[in-house]
């Protein structure tokens, strides 16, 4: 268990939080995307004051690495790196797609489908393009995160062997492609408790980023799936 600073500026809503031993102590959020950069440092200072936990006592900084907003990802990782360098703290990098999959794994639709279902985490890109990855219900990856163009045939292929839950900002447009009882679309995102859960697991396993060379996961190239 650890005391962690969480930075998430990958999407429209930014989150900064402090957790201790897997429990959320305090959180601040910003829903004005254009002000994420100015919000971040002020929020960190406010959380430190509120919790009376100095930054130099944090065990690690957990930050979302993407995919997501180019600008948001750069802002978040730059701040995390600055703190890590200054205080000699490790960085925990979190995939936004893994966070979505973690949120989906708790969905009631999966309660009686363990072992028979898969999770398609998807973030909207443009047109019918998504940033996506596929996981089993234990969050093991079956399709690594990548940029995809999806269509009805691709979704039908997914459900040929597995019940499928699609989650994320791209679920709305994917829903227009296929209606089938073997697939459901969850038009929701993850929350800070998912960040804490995955960050704690990574800290316990010693899974840290290279502070000098780590970079956001932009997933720029798209592959068409037939």
């Amino acid at each position: 268990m650890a005391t962690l600073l969480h930075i998430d500026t990958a999407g429209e809503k930014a989150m900064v939080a402090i957790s201790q031993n897997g429990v959320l102590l305090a959180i601040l959020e910003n829903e004005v995307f254009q002000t994420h950069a100015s919000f971040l440092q002020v929020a960190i200072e406010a959380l430190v004051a509120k919790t009376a936990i100095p930054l130099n006592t944090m065990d690690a900084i957990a930050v979302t690495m993407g995919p997501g907003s180019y600008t948001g990802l750069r802002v978040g990782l730059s701040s995390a790196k600055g703190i890590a360098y200054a205080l000699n703290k490790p960085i925990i990098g979190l995939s936004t797609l893994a966070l979505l999959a973690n949120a989906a794994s708790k969905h009631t639709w999966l309660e009686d489908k363990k072992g028979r279902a898969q999770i398609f985490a998807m973030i909207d890109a443009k047109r019918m393009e998504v940033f996506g990855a596929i996981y089993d219900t234990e969050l093991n990856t079956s399709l690594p995160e990548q940029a995809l163009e999806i269509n009805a045939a691709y979704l039908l292929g997914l459900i040929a062997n597995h019940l499928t839950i699609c989650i994320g900002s791209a679920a709305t447009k994917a829903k227009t492609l296929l209606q089938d009882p073997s697939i459901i679309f969850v038009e929701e995102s993850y929350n800070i408790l998912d960040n804490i859960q995955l960050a704690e697991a990574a800290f316990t396993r010693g899974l840290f980023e290279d502070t000098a060379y780590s970079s956001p996961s932009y997933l720029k190239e798209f592959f068409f799936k037939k």
Side-chain angles (χ1 to χ4, degrees), residues 148-201:
L148 302 166
E149 290 188 33
I150 58 171
N151 55 26
Y154 181 60
L155 296 179
L156 280 169
L158 289 181
I159 63 177
N161 298 311
H162 294 91
L163 302 171
T164 302
I165 179 171
C166 297
I167 184 170
S169 59
T172 301
K173 67 183 182 184
K175 188 176 182 179
T176 66
L177 296 173
L178 182 66
Q179 294 294 311
D180 189 283
S182 294
I183 188 169
I184 70 162
F185 300 90
V186 179
E187 300 164 57
E188 299 171 6
S189 189
Y190 56 87
N191 60 40
I192 190 59
L193 299 183
D194 296 298
N195 295 60
I196 292 171
Q197 186 176 353
L198 294 193
E200 279 282 345

Side-chain angles (χ1 to χ4, degrees), residues 109-163:
W109 186 78
L110 289 176
E111 287 179 356
D112 60 350
K113 301 175 178 64
K114 299 295 184 181
R116 299 187 294 119
Q118 62 187 359
I119 299 166
F120 188 2
M122 48 172 58
I123 294 173
D124 197 7
K126 58 183 179 179
R127 298 185 293 274
M128 295 315 295
E129 299 168 343
V130 305
F131 301 125
I134 298 176
Y135 306 81
D136 65 19
T137 54
E138 301 300 322
L139 302 189
N140 300 304
T141 307
S142 59
L143 178 73
E145 58 182 47
Q146 57 191 267
L148 302 166
E149 290 188 33
I150 58 171
N151 55 26
Y154 181 60
L155 296 179
L156 280 169
L158 289 181
I159 63 177
N161 298 311
H162 294 91
L163 302 171

Side-chain angles (χ1 to χ4, degrees), residues 31-65:
E31 296 188 358
V32 182
F33 175 76
Q34 294 83 355
T35 64
H36 283 356
S38 58
F39 157 80
L40 198 52
Q41 294 305 321
V42 174
I44 292 172
E45 292 175 8
L47 289 180
V48 167
K50 180 177 181 179
T51 60
I53 299 176
L55 274 180
N56 62 3
T57 64
M58 300 290 171
D59 292 300
I61 299 94
V63 60
T64 45
M65 303 291 287

Side-chain angles (χ1 to χ4, degrees), residues 2 71 82 84 99 130 160 212 214:
T71 301
L99 288 165
V130 305
S214 59

